[in-house]
């Protein structure tokens, strides 16, 4: 037990991941560079919204390198950090989600769009452009750093138990 945890409620890593996702407005998306076939790590800043059944949602343009990277290889990492940390930013909670991104299924697109635009109203100006599409992440594992001595790897089952759906890869696209 972390000495600073005395008198505090038991720490629940999966619930901390859920909290970070719920409060986050942006994230860093890391994909493998596809344009030259090198696969070099490529990071970009993206807008993020958390959907109750689809998990992390991104609204991406087909013209962006990160979208082209995901079309070539759906595997990606998404770094979500605590909003407005006080003090040392490295002592703030953060989670790296590892998984695969897929276009939101048509049957869920309207609901996903509503959730995303409720979080990012300014995106309404371009959300209906033909090159923009919503993607959701099927989280396979997460690496949470929630302060000193609070470093946890979480699998799909642990995330699902906290209400974070993680195994939503379409059956016909599973590796």
């Amino acid at each position: 037990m972390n000495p600073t945890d005395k008198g505090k409620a038991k720490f629940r890593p999966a619930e901390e991941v859920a909290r970070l996702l719920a409060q986050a407005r942006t994230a860093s998306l890391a994909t493998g560079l596809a344009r030259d076939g090198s696969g070099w790590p490529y990071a970009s800043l993206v807008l993020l919204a958390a959907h109750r059944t689809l998990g992390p949602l991104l609204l991406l343009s087909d013209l962006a390198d990160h979208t082209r990277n995901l079309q070539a290889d759906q595997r990606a990492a998404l770094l979500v950090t605590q909003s407005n940390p006080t003090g040392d930013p490295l002592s703030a909670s953060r989670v790296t989600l590892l998984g695969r991104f897929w276009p939101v299924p048509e049957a869920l697109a309207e609901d996903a769009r509503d959730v995303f635009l409720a979080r990012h109203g300014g995106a309404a100006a371009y959300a209906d452009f033909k090159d923009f599409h919503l993607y959701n992440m099927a989280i396979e594992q997460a690496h949470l750093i929630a302060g000193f001595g609070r470093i946890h790897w979480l699998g799909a089952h642990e995330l699902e138990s906290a209400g974070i759906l993680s195994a939503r890869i379409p059956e016909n696209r599973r590796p």
Side-chain angles (χ1 to χ4, degrees):
M1 177 181 225
N2 184 335
T4 62
D5 288 345
K6 288 185 179 180
K8 293 182 182 178
K10 182 179 179 191
F11 180 67
R12 291 179 168 69
E15 291 176 11
E16 178 66 3
V17 172
R19 184 191 70 76
L20 286 168
L21 280 173
Q23 59 87 34
R25 296 183 47 80
T26 62
S28 296
L29 172 65
T31 57
L33 192 59
R35 66 187 300 261
D36 61 3
S38 68
W40 277 99
Y42 179 86
S44 54
L45 180 67
V46 293
L47 296 179
L48 171 69
H51 190 279
R52 67 189 171 283
T53 58
L54 292 171
L57 287 176
L58 308 180
L59 180 63
L60 305 176
S61 168
D62 292 338
L63 304 176
D65 279 324
H66 52 238
T67 307
R68 292 178 182 163
N69 298 341
L70 289 173
Q71 291 167 345
D73 182 350
Q74 294 82 14
R75 294 175 301 162
L78 196 64
L79 173 64
V80 179
T81 60
Q82 180 178 333
S83 293
N84 303 319
T86 57
D88 181 1
L90 291 180
S91 66
S93 291
R94 60 215 181 255
V95 64
T96 299
L97 305 172
L98 303 173
R100 298 170 194 271
F101 276 92
W102 304 99
V104 170
E106 192 62 39
L108 301 171
E110 185 177 343
D111 182 46
R113 182 183 187 281
D114 291 347
V115 168
F116 193 88
L117 293 180
R119 188 79 171 149
H120 302 286
Y126 52 84
D128 293 326
F129 290 2
K130 289 184 186 239
D131 64 301
F132 276 85
H133 306 283
L134 284 163
Y135 286 77
N136 70 294
M137 185 181 210
I139 305 168
E140 296 177 22
Q141 53 185 317
H143 185 236
L144 173 68
I145 300 174
F148 181 78
R150 289 183 167 178
I151 300 170
H152 302 273
W153 277 99
L154 298 100
H157 179 72
E158 294 163 288
L159 297 169
E160 287 173 348
S161 71
I164 304 167
L165 296 181
S166 57
R168 297 294 175 181
I169 300 173
E171 289 296 325
N172 63 343
R173 294 185 178 171
R174 290 186 187 268

